[in-house]
Structures are given as structure tokens and as C-alpha cells.
Amino acid sequence: MTDAKKTSRSTKPTDAAAEGFTDEERSAMKARAKEVRAASRGGSAADKAAAAEAEVVAKIAEMPEEDRALAEKVHSLVKTVTPELAPRLWYGMPAYAKDGKVLCFFKPASKFKARYATLGFSDVAGLDDGVMWPTEFALTGLGPAVEERIATLLKTAAH
């Protein structure tokens, strides 16, 4: 019997695998891993909620001016219209959870070098309308009509 040859395998990703995600996507994944670790730490629910909101406010403050203005208004609308939603970070983005599950999130244009920011809703949101409905809405500016539309979406999604 002869000894079987060992094949050397590298665990280092190939160039093709490394190029599978953009720098922005890798950054979002790292942010999510950090969020999961932080959520598993001890502490009271009130302390965790306060820390989570502080992280959201800090993340909004870091955004470029155009994204920041939109995110601040969205944050204010969520807090006013659906105070039962809990602010938290989700993939490094401001998000709002219901019963521990992300219901909606603000994706700044700068995060993925996009043309516009979006307000997105997860499958937890009650926005179902027939067999097809939007789950993300482009935001390029805010005014009374847009704010009213967002308020309506938030109320519908949260209930």
C-alpha cells in the first residue's frame, strides 16, 4: 500500500471570491457581525434600548449632509408616528424593529454609492397589497406630502 499524497489547499479566497462583494458590502457584513455581538452582551433591556438608539443617532450624525438631513427626518417621523418601534443598527444602517425584528430601515445613498437614499421595509411590515407591492422607496427630498406618505407607510407597516 502506498501513502496517499496530500493535496495542499489554500483557505485564502481566490481573486474571484474576493471580488464577489464590494468594499461597501463587506463593510455592511462586518457592521452586522458587530451588531450581533453587541446584542448578545449582558445588561438590562432599558440599557440596551438606550444604547441602540444612541448608536442610531451617532450613525446618522456621521452621514454626509444630504443623507443626514433625510435620516434625521425619517428618525423623527418613526419616533413620532410609531413610537413602539425600537431604533437599532442593521448592517450599519438606522433601522427600526418590532418585537425584535427589523421592520424598516434607512439606507443612505452614500453607503453603497447609490444615486438616492431609500426607506426600506422588511417582510415583517404589513404592506402587503395583492400579489405585488414595493418594499423600498427612493428618497431624494422631503416635504409635507412625502412626510405624510412616510407616516402612512409606517402606520400601515407597524400594525
Side-chain angles (χ1 to χ4, degrees):
M1 236 175 145
T2 62
D3 290 328
K5 278 190 170 179
K6 287 186 178 180
T7 59
S8 65
R9 288 189 177 193
S10 173
T11 57
K12 182 179 176 186
T14 64
D15 287 342
E19 291 178 12
F21 295 103
T22 65
D23 290 342
E24 293 82 8
E25 289 167 331
R26 280 191 290 277
S27 175
M29 288 185 285
K30 288 178 184 177
R32 182 68 186 130
K34 182 179 175 184
E35 294 157 12
V36 169
R37 285 191 303 272
S40 68
R41 291 190 188 116
S44 73
D47 289 344
K48 284 183 178 183
E53 179 153 13
E55 289 173 339
V56 167
V57 170
K59 184 58 75 172
I60 291 171
E62 293 172 2
M63 293 178 188
E65 178 56 36
E66 192 171 316
D67 285 334
R68 183 172 53 248
L70 292 170
E72 286 172 345
K73 190 59 182 177
V74 167
H75 183 73
S76 175
L77 282 167
V78 171
K79 299 285 289 170
T80 302
V81 175
T82 49
E84 68 273 20
L85 298 183
R88 62 183 270 198
L89 290 179
W90 187 62
Y91 292 94
M93 297 178 288
Y96 305 89
K98 178 180 178 182
D99 301 326
K101 296 180 181 177
V102 170
L103 181 121
C104 63
F105 57 92
F106 177 82
K107 186 185 331 178
S110 59
K111 183 157 185 82
F112 294 104
K113 299 177 184 168
R115 187 167 58 102
Y116 47 78
T118 62
L119 176 62
F121 293 87
S122 73
D123 59 341
V124 174
L127 296 178
D128 305 34
D129 183 19
V131 296
M132 186 173 125
W133 57 90
T135 59
E136 283 196 40
F137 297 83
L139 290 176
T140 59
L142 292 172
V146 174
E147 291 175 21
E148 183 57 37
R149 176 73 174 128
I150 291 171
T152 300
L153 286 167
L154 289 169
K155 289 175 191 172
T156 302
H159 298 103

